[in-house]
Amino acid sequence: MALMELRNVSKQFESRDASVEVLRDINLSVAEGEFVAIVGFSGSGKTTLISLMAGLESPTEGEVVFDGKDVDGPGQERGVIFQNYSLMPWLTVAGNVSLSVDSVLKHLPRARRREIVARYIEMVGLSHAVDRRPAELSGGMRQRVAVARALATSPRMLLMDEPLSALDALTRGKLQNEIEQIWSAERKTIVLITNDVDEAILLADRIVPLNPGPGATFGPEFRVDIPRPRDPKLMNSNVEFQRLRKAVTRYLLDVSAAEGTESQDGAVLPDVLPLDVSGPPHAYRKAAESPSAERYVEFFQTTKVYPTPK
């Protein structure tokens, strides 16, 4: 049964001089417990789409339905995580999560609310930073606070608008792993907006491309049948991962070229394809060679055991 449906949804924004159609005839059905990734280029209307699902915007035409009822505004049952963290700078990690919990779950006893806050802070690995303020946190840690804040109110659905796009590759990989673990443990219904095809394949059950606007529409969906858990270190040698990456990327580039879409700097998108499975070109491998002995190291999920007589 569908938990959320978008039925013939279109969205226009009016100005004094013109009307801009951002989305046109959008139809989407998301089953309970499903993880759906919507991919597309910047400026294709992805944020507008997630705002409609969150109830932050109303459709010009069509309807957005959650659990059989029309969406007419934000609701506790739909948690939202945006690209910017939107944390209160004067509050600690615990304070930011508590602000949401105390507002939504105010009917619960105070001790129970504190237990919920502690549980989700621990889930995202921030128990050691519970008393720090946002200025004392890295970008990845701030995004973890945003994830904990959204999950702590027990939404039935999690809407994520490019939550990892501003992070470095290492931090992004960590949070991808954490999001997958949270989804597996909580079985939340998740819709992820992303422009990263690899990220969509790693996390989602289904990928839906959003064709470039104005008047953006959905393209054909791609089912992800790769067994979980999906180890990023093994995916490049996975035949189905390679096939999906090539198919989704090819589709996005083809539809972009067909509509004459230009990137934000005004340059026409190049006619490029994913790298062959044999690896990066020789020039890339050559450029990666360096006589420098300086390196940057970060330990992640590292365990070290020293044996003792006992």
Side-chain angles (χ1 to χ4, degrees):
M1 177 181 176
L3 181 62
M4 171 164 278
E5 292 183 276
L6 281 73
R7 303 170 181 167
N8 303 313
V9 167
S10 296
K11 179 63 180 177
Q12 297 178 355
F13 290 100
E14 306 288 341
S15 68
R16 289 187 301 176
D17 302 322
S19 173
V20 179
E21 186 180 36
V22 179
L23 301 170
R24 177 190 304 153
D25 196 26
I26 295 292
N27 289 277
L28 179 68
S29 178
V30 182
E32 187 151 19
E34 188 178 20
F35 198 133
V36 175
I38 297 173
V39 299
F41 294 107
S42 297
S44 59
K46 301 190 299 297
T47 295
T48 300
L49 179 63
I50 211 79
S51 296
L52 289 168
M53 299 173 80
L56 302 173
E57 295 281 355
S58 299
T60 306
E61 297 179 9
E63 56 184 346
V64 180
V65 178
F66 182 87
D67 199 18
K69 299 178 181 178
D70 287 345
V71 171
D72 56 6
Q76 171 191 344
E77 70 281 355
R78 285 160 286 130
V80 188
I81 302 172
F82 289 107
Q83 180 178 349
N84 57 337
Y85 321 114
S86 301
L87 303 180
M88 301 301 176
W90 59 88
L91 295 178
T92 63
V93 169
N96 270 281
V97 179
S98 295
L99 185 66
S100 179
V101 171
D102 291 343
S103 174
V104 175
L105 305 179
K106 54 189 174 185
H107 59 284
L108 296 178
R110 185 175 183 275
R112 176 59 182 146
R113 297 200 302 269
R114 298 291 77 79
E115 289 175 4
I116 292 171
V117 170
R119 175 193 171 194
Y120 284 97
I121 289 175
E122 181 181 9
M123 179 179 288
V124 299
L126 287 177
S127 295
H128 67 287
V130 67
D131 293 323
R132 296 186 194 175
R133 288 175 171 76
E136 303 172 85
L137 305 175
S138 68
M141 293 169 77
R142 293 176 196 172
Q143 196 58 280
R144 291 186 198 182
V145 178
V147 171
R149 182 180 57 188
L151 287 172
T153 57
S154 299
R156 293 179 63 188
M157 185 176 211
L158 201 56
L159 304 170
M160 309 177 74
D161 183 16
E162 299 193 65
L164 312 182
S165 62
L167 306 177
D168 63 88
L170 185 62
T171 304
R172 187 170 186 152
K174 289 181 184 179
L175 286 179
Q176 285 171 352
N177 183 51
E178 288 179 2
I179 288 170
E180 204 279 337
Q181 290 178 351
I182 289 169
W183 176 82
S184 297
E186 298 269 314
R187 282 298 177 189
K188 299 288 185 188
T189 306
I190 296 181
V191 175
L192 170 69
I193 300 289
T194 182
N195 54 17
D196 186 328
V197 173
D198 284 12
E199 183 171 274
I201 300 173
L202 281 171
L203 295 174
D205 300 314
R206 183 162 50 111
I207 299 171
V208 184
L210 185 62
N211 298 338
T217 58
F218 278 146
E221 68 176 48
F222 296 82
R223 180 68 58 175
V224 184
D225 292 323
I226 303 173
R228 297 178 185 273
R230 299 167 189 163
D231 188 339
K233 297 187 293 293
L234 304 178
M235 284 298 100
N236 280 330
S237 59
N238 183 290
V239 174
E240 179 61 11
F241 181 87
Q242 295 168 4
R243 185 196 69 79
L244 269 173
R245 173 200 273 167
K246 185 172 183 179
V248 176
T249 305
R250 167 82 74 175
Y251 175 82
L252 290 170
L253 290 173
D254 284 351
V255 73
S256 176
E259 296 191 15
T261 302
E262 296 185 350
S263 66
Q264 289 182 328
D265 62 3
V268 177
L269 290 168
D271 183 17
V272 296
L273 295 176
L275 295 173
D276 293 333
V277 296
S278 57
H282 173 73
Y284 278 71
R285 296 196 299 270
K286 187 70 176 175
E289 298 175 0
S290 171
S292 173
E294 295 181 3
R295 293 289 183 268
Y296 172 80
V297 176
E298 178 169 338
F299 292 92
F300 175 51
Q301 294 183 340
T302 302
T303 302
K304 173 61 180 174
V305 178
Y306 287 100
T308 70
K310 297 181 181 181

